[in-house]
Amino acid sequence: MNVAIIGVGLIGGSLAITLREQKIATRILGVDKDENNLKKAVQLGLIQEGVALEKAVKESDIVFLTVPVDAILHLLPPLLDRVSNQVIVDMGSTKKTILHAVSDHPKRGRLVAAHPMAGTEHSGPEAAIPNLFKGKMMVYVDAMNSDEDAFEAVDAIIEQLEMHTTFMSANEHDLHTAYVSHISHVTSFALALTVLEKEKSQGRIFELAGSGFESTVRLAKSSPDMWTPIFRQNRDNVLEVLQEHIRQLQQIYDVLDREDYDLFYKLIKKSNKIRRILR
Ligand SMILES: NC(=O)c1ccc[n+]([C@@H]2O[C@H](COP(=O)([O-])OP(=O)(O)OC[C@H]3O[C@@H](n4cnc5c(N)ncnc54)[C@H](O)[C@@H]3O)[C@@H](O)[C@H]2O)c1
Ligand SMILES: O=C(O)C(=O)C[C@]1(C(=O)O)C=C[C@@H](O)C=C1
């Protein structure tokens, strides 16, 4: 199978490693707007060759779109214009705006919208790692709008990646990722900003950052190039959950301010429910 990866960063690069290791792809072409990333991806052996978008689509059976979601929105319609029987897989973190933009496209059936719930806070080709997707969830979005053969071809690969799968509509997907994934990033960005504002001594941050701070602030190391377009496309859902988050923070502030430690205890106990869900 000939594969093209548009966007040879963390997700595209990690996918390339697995496709090569599992011998799913015979040839992997890469496309990237950043020449250095393209060169790096060849040096690291993620892709065989860096090529122009037109060549990648023409010479591939399956094309994975692993660029930030604003670039997916921009690239997807002209990509579908070029497709004959190839399959395009959109791996972006938001779906509603993107799928709406191509809903009437005559080649919509060749598109499979899939979101891997797997990643790290690092980006670029050097961040690519083996086994990123193994055991993680792949969310198929509006799968009924993909041609059956296109969906089957993608699903066969996802099975070889040993991923779990679930199905959602675009609305459901964007709502629930706002509730679980996107708000977690907001919290972490706000935590980093808070600590940087209050603790002016970088030495003290370094000395006192045990695994607690490290684990809660990890997501604040994430790329603004990837996350700003996600918040732009999922703004309404994020604002809704953010309002609740602010209410919870305000409640904790009020409870501490009036020294209501019984309620504070109960709030922590209630939050511990997450332990039963995530085990
Ligand atoms: N990082 C995660 O945890 C994660 C998880 C699941 C899905 N995603 C989604 O996967 C996509 C890629 O994320 P990533 O973490 O791999 O990002 P990344 O920054 O590591 O890689 C993106 C690559 O795309 C390139 N690029 C950007 N705009 C381009 C354009 N217009 N044309 C060609 N190349 C372009 C960049 O130069 C970069 O090499 C995003 O849509 C993101 O929402 C990310
Ligand atoms: O683990 C991380 O660093 C991630 O940010 C991964 C994560 C997530 O929120 O779980 C981030 C965005 C994606 O769309 C999917 C996965």
Side-chain angles (χ1 to χ4, degrees):
M1 186 190 295
N2 289 327
V3 169
I5 307 261
I6 321 268
V8 293
L10 166 74
I11 297 296
S14 302
L15 183 67
I17 294 175
T18 312
L19 294 178
R20 198 190 59 242
E21 281 181 357
Q22 303 252 6
K23 301 197 187 333
I24 298 169
T26 40
R27 185 167 176 242
I28 306 179
L29 298 176
V31 178
D32 205 290
K33 69 164 190 186
D34 184 330
E35 277 299 319
N36 288 330
N37 282 3
L38 213 47
K39 271 190 209 145
K40 204 61 201 169
V42 175
Q43 275 167 16
L44 292 167
L46 304 175
I47 57 168
Q48 262 104 342
E49 202 188 331
V51 297
L53 189 73
E54 297 70 22
K55 181 175 160 81
V57 179
K58 203 164 152 214
E59 298 186 9
S60 302
D61 305 298
I62 185 155
V63 178
F64 289 94
L65 251 182
T66 50
V67 290
V69 294
D70 54 344
I72 294 181
L73 186 64
H74 180 70
L75 289 177
L76 194 51
L79 253 181
L80 285 174
D81 290 344
R82 291 177 185 281
V83 158
S84 50
N85 208 35
Q86 302 96 313
V87 179
I88 312 278
V89 188
D90 147 34
M91 304 267 273
S93 302
T94 50
K95 298 296 181 202
K96 206 173 127 184
T97 308
I98 289 167
L99 293 181
H100 182 69
V102 294
S103 60
D104 294 330
H105 196 286
K107 290 285 181 177
R108 168 65 181 88
R110 304 318 292 164
L111 170 69
V112 176
H115 180 192
M117 295 310 299
T120 72
E121 65 278 28
H122 306 297
S123 43
E126 280 129 326
I129 46 173
N131 292 324
L132 179 69
F133 304 106
K134 190 175 176 175
K136 298 288 170 52
M137 187 65 74
M138 178 62 98
V139 186
Y140 288 125
V141 180
D142 287 352
M144 67 287 183
N145 294 334
S146 301
D147 294 346
E148 207 174 317
D149 70 298
F151 178 78
E152 294 300 333
V154 176
D155 196 41
I157 295 173
I158 298 312
E159 204 179 320
Q160 283 175 275
L161 264 50
E162 297 180 61
M163 297 188 77
H164 306 290
T165 56
T166 188
F167 292 81
M168 288 180 201
S169 69
N171 280 347
E172 273 180 299
H173 169 275
D174 283 15
L175 184 69
H176 294 288
T177 51
Y179 287 175
V180 181
S181 169
H182 304 170
I183 190 69
S184 311
H185 285 77
V186 174
T187 311
S188 198
F189 298 143
L191 177 64
L193 291 170
T194 305
V195 173
L196 290 168
E197 187 60 35
K198 293 304 290 181
E199 182 52 272
K200 297 293 183 198
S201 161
Q202 293 188 15
R204 287 280 181 255
I205 295 177
F206 186 75
E207 282 167 4
L208 300 178
S211 55
F213 182 62
E214 186 59 47
S215 65
T216 45
V217 86
R218 177 181 71 84
L219 296 175
K221 298 173 185 170
S222 303
S223 152
D225 289 336
M226 170 182 154
W227 280 98
T228 308
I230 292 176
F231 288 112
R232 182 193 289 252
Q233 287 188 19
N234 209 17
R235 171 180 171 271
D236 292 352
N237 290 325
V238 172
L239 283 180
E240 188 230 312
V241 62
L242 189 52
Q243 205 162 34
E244 175 60 23
H245 193 46
I246 293 166
R247 195 185 70 78
Q248 293 288 350
L249 284 175
Q250 186 63 53
Q251 177 174 236
I252 289 172
Y253 182 96
D254 293 344
V255 165
L256 260 187
D257 189 45
R258 62 173 191 266
E259 301 206 70
D260 187 350
Y261 298 112
D262 288 341
L263 184 52
F264 200 86
Y265 183 95
K266 283 180 189 148
L267 288 174
I268 297 177
K269 188 94 189 135
K270 198 172 166 191
S271 81
N272 289 164
K273 188 179 173 203
I274 212 79
R275 200 191 291 156
R276 293 204 300 275
I277 299 168
L278 296 176
R279 284 182 297 277

